[in-house]
Amino acid sequence: MTMPQHPVPDDPITRAEPLRAAVYARVVGLICSGDYEPGAAITEAALSRALNVSRTPVREALLRLEAEGVLQSALARGFTVRPLLRGETDELYPILAALESLAVTTAVPVSTATLDQLAATLAELEACTDPVRRWRLDTAWHSGIVAASGNGHLASMVTRIRTNLSRYELTYMREVRSRAAADREHREILAALGAGEGDRAAELLRDHWYGGMRLIQDWIKGRS
C-alpha cells in the first residue's frame, strides 16, 4: 500500500526553541500554507519524522488543533483537516468581526509608524497574485491592526480564529482570484484609522468580515 506523502517544513526545529510551541507553530504553518487541504490526513509518525522530534509533542499539537476546531480525529484513523462547512462560517466570521472591531476601538489613535506599515503591507497585498502569499499578507495586515490595540489576549483569540478559517480562505483564494472589492475595503478601513475615526473603522471592519462570510458561503454552496 502506498503511504501518503506529507509536506516537509522548510525550517526544521532547532533544539534551542521551546519544543511544544515550535511543533505547534510548524503544524499551524503547514495548514495555513495550504500544504494540508480540507480533508487531508495528518499522521503523528510522518510529522515526527519530518520535524525530527518525538511523537509526543506532535500529538499534543494535533490534539490542541482538534480542540481548536481545525482538525478532527477518528478512532484508529488519525487526524484529518476538517472539511468546509457553511455552518462553521456562520459561527466563526461574526466572532472575528466582533474581535477585530473591538481591537480597532481600543487601538485608535494609531501611531504614524503603524499606519505606514499597514499602508506598505496593503500595497504589497494589492500587487500580489499568489493566493498563499496573499493570504499571509492579508493576515499580516489584519494582525497589525489587532496588535495596535496592545491587547495580547485579544490578539491570541484572533489568531486562533484566523487559523481555523485559513482552510476556507486559502481554498477560496486559489479558486477565486478577484480580490478588488476586499482591497478597496482595506483602503477604506485604513483611511478611517488614519483619520482617527475608530467607530467608523470598526463599522467598516464588521462589514468587511460579514461580506467575506457571504462570499465564502456562496462559494461553498456553488461547490456542493
Side-chain angles (χ1 to χ4, degrees):
M1 183 176 70
T2 301
M3 296 299 291
Q5 296 297 311
H6 293 270
V8 177
D10 294 330
D11 50 343
I13 291 173
T14 65
R15 290 298 178 238
E17 297 178 81
L19 191 58
R20 290 181 179 178
V23 171
Y24 174 81
R26 294 304 194 284
V27 178
V28 168
L30 289 169
I31 294 171
C32 290
S33 295
D35 291 298
Y36 288 108
E37 297 184 351
I42 302 180
T43 66
E44 295 173 35
L47 271 178
S48 66
R49 288 193 299 270
L51 298 174
N52 192 30
V53 297
S54 70
R55 291 177 63 164
T56 298
V58 170
R59 180 163 182 78
E60 290 176 352
L62 297 179
L63 287 171
R64 178 177 170 184
L65 286 165
E66 181 184 26
E68 293 174 350
V70 179
L71 304 179
Q72 61 186 18
S73 63
L75 186 63
R77 297 182 62 185
F79 296 86
T80 58
V81 181
R82 292 186 64 197
L84 306 180
L85 303 170
R86 174 178 172 138
E88 187 175 39
T89 63
D90 283 329
E91 297 176 358
L92 293 178
Y93 274 100
I95 296 173
L96 183 58
L99 292 175
E100 285 205 3
S101 296
L102 174 60
V104 162
T105 58
T106 55
V108 172
V110 179
S111 70
T112 300
T114 297
L115 289 171
D116 289 345
Q117 182 58 59
L118 289 171
T121 302
L122 184 52
E124 189 176 355
L125 173 61
E126 291 170 340
C128 183
T129 57
D130 175 73
V132 174
R133 179 63 178 160
R134 269 198 66 95
W135 184 85
R136 289 176 174 168
L137 288 167
D138 182 80
T139 300
W141 192 83
H142 283 274
S143 296
I145 294 175
V146 176
S149 71
N151 189 326
H153 289 289
L154 180 58
S156 295
M157 294 171 71
V158 169
T159 298
R160 174 176 167 178
I161 298 295
R162 285 302 301 263
T163 298
N164 207 335
L165 284 173
S166 67
R167 65 191 199 278
Y168 291 91
E169 295 177 340
L170 280 167
T171 310
Y172 175 81
M173 287 183 179
R174 285 191 175 98
E175 297 184 12
V176 182
R177 297 303 182 95
S178 177
R179 300 291 292 162
D183 291 340
R184 182 179 65 253
E185 291 165 5
H186 287 150
R187 283 288 171 189
E188 293 171 351
I189 295 165
L190 184 58
L193 287 173
E197 299 173 351
D199 290 342
R200 173 63 175 160
E203 179 184 2
L204 290 169
L205 260 173
R206 282 193 296 270
D207 291 344
H208 173 71
W209 283 122
Y210 274 94
M213 178 184 71
R214 288 189 292 271
L215 286 174
I216 292 288
Q217 289 176 340
D218 289 344
W219 166 72
I220 292 174
K221 183 179 179 179
R223 295 173 93 238
S224 59

